[in-house]
């Protein structure tokens, strides 16, 4: 039987969520970057390399760049998994690295809400375990 309601779903099957740790990839970096002000739309150009912008971003930092230790990687991994259980998100894949993580998640939520939950809960857990 043919169904033509496939495109009526409000949410996709999953999201690839990538979050970097504080200060490890600044705007102006040679790798390019995106921001929340109209430049983080699929297919739009990234902010190009700009030494002045990168220097300015570095001067505005309140702390040193944050790089996770092996113990902290474990804490972040465990907290993301716990968030998924508590909020009933389906975690399909997770890879926590020293300066970022990738998570593939299925949920009936906007990806920004999911990423914010991961970031805030991981930060709280890291502070508690320090």
């Amino acid at each position: 039987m043919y169904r033509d309601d496939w495109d009526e779903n409000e949410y996709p099957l999953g999201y690839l969520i990538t979050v970097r740790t504080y200060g490890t990839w600044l705007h102006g970096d040679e790798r390019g970057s995106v921001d929340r002000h109209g430049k983080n739309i699929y297919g739009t150009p990234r902010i190009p390399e700009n030494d002045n912008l990168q220097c300015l971003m570095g001067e505005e930092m309140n702390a040193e760049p944050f790089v996770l230790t092996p113990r902290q990687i474990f804490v972040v991994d465990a907290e993301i998994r716990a968030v998924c259980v508590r909020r009933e998100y389906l975690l399909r894949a997770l890879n926590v690295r020293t300066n970022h993580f990738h998570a593939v998640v299925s949920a009936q939520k906007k990806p920004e809400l999911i990423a914010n939950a991961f970031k805030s809960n991981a930060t709280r857990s890291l502070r508690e375990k320090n």
Side-chain angles (χ1 to χ4, degrees):
M1 178 176 191
Y2 176 75
R3 292 184 57 165
D4 64 356
D5 64 351
W6 63 271
D7 60 344
E8 293 180 16
N9 295 325
E10 184 177 353
Y11 300 102
L13 293 176
Y15 300 106
L16 169 60
I17 296 175
T18 300
V19 175
R20 300 197 67 77
T21 59
Y22 179 79
T24 58
W25 193 332
L26 302 176
H27 293 303
D29 184 282
E30 67 185 10
R31 298 168 285 189
S33 61
V34 297
D35 67 13
R36 292 178 276 190
H37 308 291
K39 295 190 177 14
N40 193 12
I41 300 169
Y42 180 77
T44 59
R46 293 178 173 210
I47 297 170
E49 179 178 4
N50 181 324
D51 291 337
N52 291 334
L53 178 58
Q54 185 174 10
C55 183
L56 178 64
M57 297 298 293
E59 290 171 0
E60 291 182 359
M61 289 178 55
N62 297 325
E64 292 296 313
F66 189 73
V67 178
L68 297 168
T69 65
R71 183 184 69 80
Q72 290 169 326
I73 288 171
F74 177 80
V75 169
V76 170
D77 184 286
E79 192 57 41
I80 290 171
R81 292 176 190 281
V83 167
C84 290
V85 169
R86 283 193 306 271
R87 296 186 181 210
E88 298 181 350
Y89 301 159
L90 178 57
L91 181 63
R92 298 181 178 275
L94 177 62
N95 188 348
V96 181
R97 313 295 292 174
T98 58
N99 63 355
H100 68 284
F101 69 79
H102 302 286
V104 179
V105 182
S106 295
Q108 300 292 305
K109 301 283 181 194
K110 292 184 177 183
E112 296 85 0
L113 297 174
I114 300 168
N116 287 340
F118 290 164
K119 291 189 293 185
S120 61
N121 283 277
T123 298
R124 178 192 42 77
S125 189
L126 286 168
R127 287 180 176 157
E128 288 174 355
K129 292 179 175 35
N130 254 346

mmCIF file of all heavy atoms in Angstrom, residues 27-42:
data_model
loop_
_atom_site.group_PDB
_atom_site.id
_atom_site.type_symbol
_atom_site.label_atom_id
_atom_site.label_comp_id
_atom_site.label_asym_id
_atom_site.label_seq_id
_atom_site.Cartn_x
_atom_site.Cartn_y
_atom_site.Cartn_z
ATOM 1 N N HIS A 27 35.632 31.535 15.825
ATOM 2 C CA HIS A 27 35.298 32.158 14.544
ATOM 3 C C HIS A 27 36.570 32.783 13.985
ATOM 4 O O HIS A 27 37.390 33.336 14.713
ATOM 5 C CB HIS A 27 34.229 33.240 14.722
ATOM 6 C CG HIS A 27 32.901 32.696 15.130
ATOM 7 N ND1 HIS A 27 32.232 31.758 14.391
ATOM 8 C CD2 HIS A 27 32.125 32.957 16.198
ATOM 9 C CE1 HIS A 27 31.084 31.470 14.990
ATOM 10 N NE2 HIS A 27 31.003 32.177 16.100
ATOM 11 N N GLY A 28 36.756 32.672 12.678
ATOM 12 C CA GLY A 28 37.953 33.178 12.030
ATOM 13 C C GLY A 28 39.017 32.107 11.829
ATOM 14 O O GLY A 28 39.987 32.318 11.117
ATOM 15 N N ASP A 29 38.846 30.960 12.462
ATOM 16 C CA ASP A 29 39.775 29.843 12.335
ATOM 17 C C ASP A 29 39.869 29.424 10.864
ATOM 18 O O ASP A 29 38.902 29.555 10.115
ATOM 19 C CB ASP A 29 39.258 28.681 13.195
ATOM 20 C CG ASP A 29 40.193 27.494 13.204
ATOM 21 O OD1 ASP A 29 40.193 26.737 12.213
ATOM 22 O OD2 ASP A 29 40.903 27.303 14.205
ATOM 23 N N GLU A 30 41.007 28.883 10.482
ATOM 24 C CA GLU A 30 41.218 28.470 9.083
ATOM 25 C C GLU A 30 40.241 27.398 8.614
ATOM 26 O O GLU A 30 40.012 27.226 7.421
ATOM 27 C CB GLU A 30 42.655 27.986 8.889
ATOM 28 C CG GLU A 30 42.970 26.712 9.637
ATOM 29 C CD GLU A 30 44.425 26.291 9.538
ATOM 30 O OE1 GLU A 30 45.244 27.081 9.039
ATOM 31 O OE2 GLU A 30 44.731 25.168 9.959
ATOM 32 N N ARG A 31 39.627 26.661 9.555
ATOM 33 C CA ARG A 31 38.679 25.613 9.191
ATOM 34 C C ARG A 31 37.303 26.179 8.852
ATOM 35 O O ARG A 31 36.423 25.446 8.403
ATOM 36 C CB ARG A 31 38.539 24.613 10.355
ATOM 37 C CG ARG A 31 39.851 23.901 10.677
ATOM 38 C CD ARG A 31 39.764 23.169 11.986
ATOM 39 N NE ARG A 31 39.825 24.128 13.093
ATOM 40 C CZ ARG A 31 39.941 23.791 14.363
ATOM 41 N NH1 ARG A 31 39.978 22.520 14.712
ATOM 42 N NH2 ARG A 31 39.999 24.702 15.309
ATOM 43 N N GLY A 32 37.111 27.482 9.063
ATOM 44 C CA GLY A 32 35.803 28.085 8.848
ATOM 45 C C GLY A 32 34.909 27.819 10.042
ATOM 46 O O GLY A 32 35.234 27.021 10.917
ATOM 47 N N SER A 33 33.786 28.516 10.117
ATOM 48 C CA SER A 33 32.872 28.323 11.239
ATOM 49 C C SER A 33 31.483 28.801 10.858
ATOM 50 O O SER A 33 31.287 29.405 9.803
ATOM 51 C CB SER A 33 33.375 29.080 12.479
ATOM 52 O OG SER A 33 33.448 30.467 12.221
ATOM 53 N N VAL A 34 30.531 28.500 11.724
ATOM 54 C CA VAL A 34 29.151 28.966 11.552
ATOM 55 C C VAL A 34 28.732 29.638 12.856
ATOM 56 O O VAL A 34 29.344 29.440 13.889
ATOM 57 C CB VAL A 34 28.176 27.815 11.209
ATOM 58 C CG1 VAL A 34 28.540 27.180 9.882
ATOM 59 C CG2 VAL A 34 28.150 26.766 12.302
ATOM 60 N N ASP A 35 27.696 30.455 12.793
ATOM 61 C CA ASP A 35 27.175 31.054 14.016
ATOM 62 C C ASP A 35 25.661 30.976 14.028
ATOM 63 O O ASP A 35 25.051 30.454 13.101
ATOM 64 C CB ASP A 35 27.676 32.489 14.206
ATOM 65 C CG ASP A 35 27.138 33.462 13.176
ATOM 66 O OD1 ASP A 35 26.186 33.125 12.444
ATOM 67 O OD2 ASP A 35 27.661 34.579 13.108
ATOM 68 N N ARG A 36 25.069 31.475 15.083
ATOM 69 C CA ARG A 36 23.620 31.405 15.242
ATOM 70 C C ARG A 36 22.889 32.517 14.501
ATOM 71 O O ARG A 36 21.684 32.565 14.514
ATOM 72 C CB ARG A 36 23.263 31.494 16.723
ATOM 73 C CG ARG A 36 23.707 30.291 17.494
ATOM 74 C CD ARG A 36 23.353 30.492 18.923
ATOM 75 N NE ARG A 36 24.434 31.280 19.525
ATOM 76 C CZ ARG A 36 24.566 31.502 20.804
ATOM 77 N NH1 ARG A 36 23.691 31.050 21.643
ATOM 78 N NH2 ARG A 36 25.576 32.199 21.263
ATOM 79 N N HIS A 37 23.587 33.424 13.887
ATOM 80 C CA HIS A 37 22.968 34.610 13.308
ATOM 81 C C HIS A 37 22.826 34.490 11.797
ATOM 82 O O HIS A 37 23.353 35.295 11.037
ATOM 83 C CB HIS A 37 23.767 35.847 13.698
ATOM 84 C CG HIS A 37 23.998 35.951 15.172
ATOM 85 N ND1 HIS A 37 22.986 36.208 16.070
ATOM 86 C CD2 HIS A 37 25.113 35.768 15.916
ATOM 87 C CE1 HIS A 37 23.468 36.207 17.295
ATOM 88 N NE2 HIS A 37 24.752 35.931 17.234
ATOM 89 N N GLY A 38 22.120 33.452 11.363
ATOM 90 C CA GLY A 38 21.817 33.302 9.943
ATOM 91 C C GLY A 38 22.855 32.587 9.118
ATOM 92 O O GLY A 38 22.689 32.425 7.920
ATOM 93 N N LYS A 39 23.933 32.149 9.724
ATOM 94 C CA LYS A 39 24.987 31.476 8.966
ATOM 95 C C LYS A 39 25.065 29.989 9.276
ATOM 96 O O LYS A 39 25.951 29.311 8.822
ATOM 97 C CB LYS A 39 26.328 32.146 9.232
ATOM 98 C CG LYS A 39 26.389 33.568 8.726
ATOM 99 C CD LYS A 39 27.789 34.078 8.799
ATOM 100 C CE LYS A 39 28.061 35.449 8.282
ATOM 101 N NZ LYS A 39 27.046 36.343 8.008
ATOM 102 N N ASN A 40 24.147 29.470 10.079
ATOM 103 C CA ASN A 40 24.158 28.052 10.420
ATOM 104 C C ASN A 40 22.998 27.342 9.735
ATOM 105 O O ASN A 40 22.260 26.601 10.342
ATOM 106 C CB ASN A 40 24.088 27.862 11.942
ATOM 107 C CG ASN A 40 24.405 26.442 12.350
ATOM 108 O OD1 ASN A 40 24.893 25.650 11.547
ATOM 109 N ND2 ASN A 40 24.118 26.090 13.571
ATOM 110 N N ILE A 41 22.863 27.579 8.458
ATOM 111 C CA ILE A 41 21.820 26.971 7.653
ATOM 112 C C ILE A 41 22.495 26.060 6.642
ATOM 113 O O ILE A 41 23.454 26.461 5.975
ATOM 114 C CB ILE A 41 20.968 28.048 6.948
ATOM 115 C CG1 ILE A 41 20.311 28.954 8.000
ATOM 116 C CG2 ILE A 41 19.937 27.412 6.043
ATOM 117 C CD1 ILE A 41 19.674 30.196 7.428
ATOM 118 N N TYR A 42 21.991 24.830 6.544
ATOM 119 C CA TYR A 42 22.599 23.857 5.645
ATOM 120 C C TYR A 42 22.768 24.449 4.244
ATOM 121 O O TYR A 42 21.845 25.030 3.696
ATOM 122 C CB TYR A 42 21.751 22.588 5.574
ATOM 123 C CG TYR A 42 22.340 21.544 4.665
ATOM 124 C CD1 TYR A 42 23.412 20.780 5.067
ATOM 125 C CD2 TYR A 42 21.842 21.360 3.387
ATOM 126 C CE1 TYR A 42 23.980 19.837 4.245
ATOM 127 C CE2 TYR A 42 22.401 20.415 2.539
ATOM 128 C CZ TYR A 42 23.467 19.663 2.978
ATOM 129 O OH TYR A 42 24.030 18.733 2.137
#
